[in-house]
Amino acid sequence: MDKNTITKQALTAAAYAALTWALPALSYGPIQFRISEVMTLLAFFNPQYIVGLTLGCALANMFSALGVVDVVVGTFASFLALYTMSKIKNIWVASLMPAVFSVIIGIEIAFLASEMSLFIPVTLQIMFSEFVIVTLLGVPLFKILEKNKSFRNVVLDIPAVEKSYIKR
């Protein structure tokens, strides 16, 4: 891994964690609207971002009320969503992966609360919030950002001549 890639991953991890920590009331708990989750779409465009986003999630989850369990389980759920997103060719379908893998978070919260009846409502709440942040807000945002030559070249590492939103 070259210095440029390591720097991008460190900045990605820091940005994800900082955005999560900046809005703790929205970032933790059964009703989550983590603004940082918009960044998960970076993995769709370039799989190298899986590393930084996974690390950022682990850092962010260190302040979760669920403790070390959330660092492990929550980060694993994010990794699975990111990896899956990187393999999907359609941004709209890829954007659904954080919602799909939030089932793992629902299990985690219900198990830790020793109340399995919480599983369905908690999972649905997290799925809804992921859908709103990543799909409804994130995809249109990235469609706009993707048209910016500097963003494409520097952040997404996509040459200006390629139209990835057409390809995918």
Side-chain angles (χ1 to χ4, degrees):
M1 208 180 282
D2 64 13
K3 288 181 196 176
N4 187 34
T5 301
I6 292 170
T7 301
K8 280 184 183 180
Q9 297 321 300
L11 289 171
T12 300
Y16 182 98
L19 277 171
T20 304
W21 295 331
L23 301 165
L26 294 175
S27 298
Y28 302 102
I31 299 176
Q32 300 178 3
F33 282 91
R34 280 190 182 184
I35 303 303
S36 54
E37 283 293 294
V38 167
M39 294 177 64
T40 62
L41 288 168
L42 290 169
F44 168 78
F45 291 98
N46 190 332
Q48 78 173 235
Y49 284 106
I50 294 170
V51 173
L53 291 166
T54 301
L55 180 58
C57 180
L59 291 170
N61 286 348
M62 290 177 148
F63 292 93
S64 165
L66 301 177
V68 72
V69 174
D70 202 30
V71 174
V72 175
V73 177
T75 301
F76 180 67
S78 290
F79 169 76
L80 291 175
L82 294 164
Y83 178 78
T84 305
M85 290 172 83
S86 74
K87 300 296 181 192
I88 295 173
K89 301 290 184 201
N90 181 292
I91 192 169
W92 292 99
V93 175
S95 74
L96 298 173
M97 293 307 105
V100 169
F101 285 98
S102 66
V103 168
I104 296 169
I105 308 304
I107 293 169
E108 171 192 14
I109 292 171
F111 179 77
L112 290 175
S114 298
E115 189 60 52
M116 290 312 287
S117 65
L118 292 175
F119 170 70
I120 291 176
V122 167
T123 301
L124 290 175
Q125 289 169 344
I126 296 173
M127 286 178 133
F128 175 73
S129 65
E130 290 285 358
F131 176 74
V132 169
I133 296 294
V134 182
T135 304
L136 297 183
L137 297 176
V139 173
L141 175 65
F142 269 81
K143 292 274 189 188
I144 292 166
L145 290 173
E146 189 179 28
K147 294 176 183 175
N148 180 289
K149 184 179 175 182
S150 295
F151 186 80
R152 290 173 58 80
N153 290 337
V154 176
V155 177
L156 301 180
D157 288 328
I158 299 172
V161 294
E162 181 188 341
K163 297 275 189 192
S164 70
Y165 58 90
I166 293 171
K167 180 180 87 170
R168 293 177 183 229

